[in-house]
Amino acid sequence: MAGRLPLFEGERKEGHNVVVSYFSQDQDDLLASNRTVWDEVYAIAPHHIVPQLRTLLGCFLFSGDAVEKPVSVLSGGERSRLVLCKLLLSPANCLLLDEPTNHLDIRSKDILMDSLRDYEGTMVFVSHDRYFLDGLATKVLEIGDQKAIPYLGNYEGLSLQESRTGKGAGGQGTGGRTGSGSIRR
């Protein structure tokens, strides 16, 4: 979906005026190790946001001297928080998030969820974090056996339906479930 891998078949075509931002599980290519936390966000922040950058960084648990930390010494969780902060500064109207809660502690997950709840664009995310799925998803795509079966609602609703019927959202058994993605618009 993000256009980073070659397609096996078909084509990838973005809609008119769609601006996509992508959060990868592997953020090594998204941060410059020779910069500081401040430098990373300042470099992409729209001019009118600059006065609020310290507040924004504080929301992602970078306060005081932490904003001057070199990216090269950040932990996995700190790197994830920094990339997510940068993502929310981008002018995108479509976010693709691949396991965004990996490496995050509970407080960071809550901050991320609060930020994403306020996001007005479209989000497509893949996650194994049920708390995150239930807190944000409005539609679940159950993916497996070369099919994508849509379910309107969150992951808990899908699980309840499956437990009542013994079948997935598309009327199929789900014993072979390989994953699920979620969409919020």
Side-chain angles (χ1 to χ4, degrees):
M1 285 184 83
R4 298 216 172 186
L5 299 173
L7 299 173
F8 291 115
E9 61 183 68
E11 68 179 293
R12 178 187 179 275
K13 190 173 180 182
E14 290 179 9
H16 179 67
N17 289 331
V18 173
V19 179
V20 176
S21 278
Y22 174 60
F23 176 84
S24 169
Q25 288 186 56
D26 178 23
Q27 306 110 12
D28 291 336
D29 59 335
L30 302 176
L31 298 171
S33 63
N34 61 335
R35 287 184 171 175
T36 65
V37 169
W38 173 263
D39 293 338
E40 280 288 325
V41 294
Y42 183 80
I44 64 157
H47 183 68
H48 69 281
I49 299 289
V50 171
Q52 289 89 32
L53 278 184
R54 281 198 175 267
T55 301
L56 179 64
L57 283 166
C59 291
F60 284 88
L61 307 180
F62 294 106
S63 58
D65 292 340
V67 300
E68 296 302 326
K69 266 183 156 177
V71 169
S72 60
V73 302
L74 297 179
S75 69
E78 289 171 324
R79 292 174 71 82
S80 289
R81 291 196 321 263
L82 180 56
V83 171
L84 289 165
C85 180
K86 287 178 61 175
L87 188 77
L88 293 176
L89 282 170
S90 73
N93 54 17
C94 179
L95 299 179
L96 303 178
L97 307 170
D98 184 8
E99 298 286 357
T101 59
N102 280 3
H103 309 293
L104 297 182
D105 60 24
I106 293 171
R107 183 172 177 210
S108 298
K109 287 179 188 183
D110 287 339
I111 290 168
L112 173 62
M113 285 181 59
D114 288 343
S115 298
L116 292 176
R117 279 188 193 108
D118 293 338
Y119 181 73
E120 295 181 7
T122 299
M123 275 188 284
V124 178
F125 52 88
V126 176
S127 181
H128 290 90
D129 183 332
R130 289 184 180 187
Y131 177 73
F132 183 79
L133 288 169
D134 286 336
L136 287 176
T138 58
K139 183 185 234 181
V140 175
L141 287 176
E142 185 175 18
I143 301 169
D145 297 326
Q146 299 181 0
K147 295 178 187 173
I149 302 167
Y151 171 79
L152 191 58
N154 65 12
Y155 189 81
E156 182 179 355
L158 173 63
S159 296
L160 286 171
Q161 176 181 321
E162 289 176 349
S163 67
R164 278 189 238 126
T165 65
K167 298 179 180 180
Q172 310 286 325
T174 58
R177 177 184 301 167
T178 57
S180 50
S182 301
I183 300 172
R184 195 196 111 212
R185 187 166 193 199

